[in-house]
């Protein structure tokens, strides 16, 4: 940006996302909740659209990563999923969360307890999930290391992976005009 064309008003409009302008989106992951009610959670996007690629025009355009907050009700789970192209960070703002880590489809699921201000970064190619083990809502900051990450996959044979495959076929048929 050159000083001649700089406008603080335009800068603020383009690069500032305020809480008062955000809304919790309980629908973006509703397809997961329809598989299992424990998968209920909400996302509030700040930078980029995230892995869901939700059409949210009220975000700062992502250049290198996405950033959102997530509300996870007591007893609810962000299911195991794998991003093949990006790391994902969960930073716990409030509550008690258990991070779920699985190296591949056939390995055991490991659990790591996290509390307020704890953080976990999961590399590409590792299944990750989160579970709220507390009595109150957990609030997390979630960062994905790409402005447009690939859609995640789920463990082989899981209901979510079967749904993902079905949706991929339906999407392909639409693209091919069938």
């Amino acid at each position: 940006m050159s000083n001649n064309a700089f406008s603080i008003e335009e800068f603020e409009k383009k690069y500032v996302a305020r809480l008062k302008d955000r809304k919790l989106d309980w629908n973006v992951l509703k397809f997961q909740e329809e598989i299992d009610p424990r998968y209920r959670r909400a996302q509030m996007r700040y930078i980029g659209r995230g892995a869901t690629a939700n059409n949210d025009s009220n975000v700062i355009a992502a250049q290198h990563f996405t950033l959102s907050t997530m509300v996870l009700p007591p007893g609810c789970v962000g299911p195991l999923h794998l991003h093949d192209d990006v790391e994902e960070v969960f930073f716990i703002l409030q509550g008690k969360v258990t991070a779920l880590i699985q190296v591949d489809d056939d390995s055991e699921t490991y659990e790591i307890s996290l509390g307020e201000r704890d953080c976990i970064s999961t590399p590409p190619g590792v299944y990750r999930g989160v579970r709220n083990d507390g009595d109150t809502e957990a609030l997390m900051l979630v960062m994905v290391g790409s402005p447009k990450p690939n859609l995640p996959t789920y463990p082989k044979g899981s209901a979510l992976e079967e749904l993902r495959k079905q949706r991929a076929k339906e999407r392909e048929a639409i693209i091919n005009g069938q």
Side-chain angles (χ1 to χ4, degrees):
M1 286 185 179
S2 70
N3 278 343
N4 296 0
F6 183 80
S7 160
I8 192 65
E9 292 82 10
E10 287 301 313
F11 186 92
E12 182 175 358
K13 188 175 179 180
K14 187 173 181 178
Y15 294 109
V16 175
R18 299 191 185 280
L19 176 61
K20 69 179 180 67
D21 299 325
R22 313 285 105 200
K23 291 181 184 169
L24 281 174
D25 185 347
W26 290 94
N27 293 320
V28 69
L29 299 165
K30 190 130 184 110
F31 70 97
Q32 293 178 349
E33 184 182 348
E34 290 168 0
I35 297 285
D36 186 333
R38 294 180 318 130
Y39 295 158
R40 177 173 166 72
R41 59 200 193 284
Q43 184 182 51
M44 186 179 288
R45 291 169 292 283
Y46 284 83
I47 300 175
R49 296 178 178 180
T52 61
N54 187 282
N55 190 15
D56 188 343
S57 61
N58 190 31
V59 297
I60 297 170
Q63 295 181 27
H64 304 287
F65 60 90
T66 70
L67 179 78
S68 63
T69 57
M70 184 171 291
V71 172
L72 190 62
C76 286
V77 178
L80 282 173
H81 64 285
L82 181 147
H83 294 279
D84 65 357
D85 62 332
V86 295
E87 65 186 312
E88 185 171 26
V89 173
F90 298 96
F91 184 91
I92 312 308
L93 296 169
Q94 71 182 46
K96 296 177 184 176
V97 173
T98 298
L100 309 170
I101 302 296
Q102 186 175 329
V103 178
D104 58 42
D105 284 313
D106 301 318
S107 67
E108 100 178 73
T109 301
Y110 298 94
E111 297 187 356
I112 301 170
S113 295
L114 301 170
E116 292 182 13
R117 294 179 143 189
D118 288 343
C119 178
I120 185 168
S121 177
T122 53
V126 173
Y127 286 103
R128 74 288 308 261
V130 289
R131 183 181 66 229
N132 182 349
D133 291 325
D135 297 331
T136 61
E137 284 185 339
L139 178 61
M140 298 173 286
L141 186 67
V142 181
M143 181 184 280
V144 178
S146 170
K148 294 181 182 176
N150 294 337
L151 288 176
T153 57
Y154 303 93
K156 185 172 44 181
S158 71
L160 285 171
E161 182 60 9
E162 295 307 313
L163 179 60
R164 184 196 66 79
K165 287 179 190 176
Q166 176 187 335
R167 287 179 150 194
K169 287 179 186 176
E170 292 168 358
R171 182 177 179 268
E172 190 68 27
I174 291 168
I175 290 170
N176 293 327
Q178 298 173 354

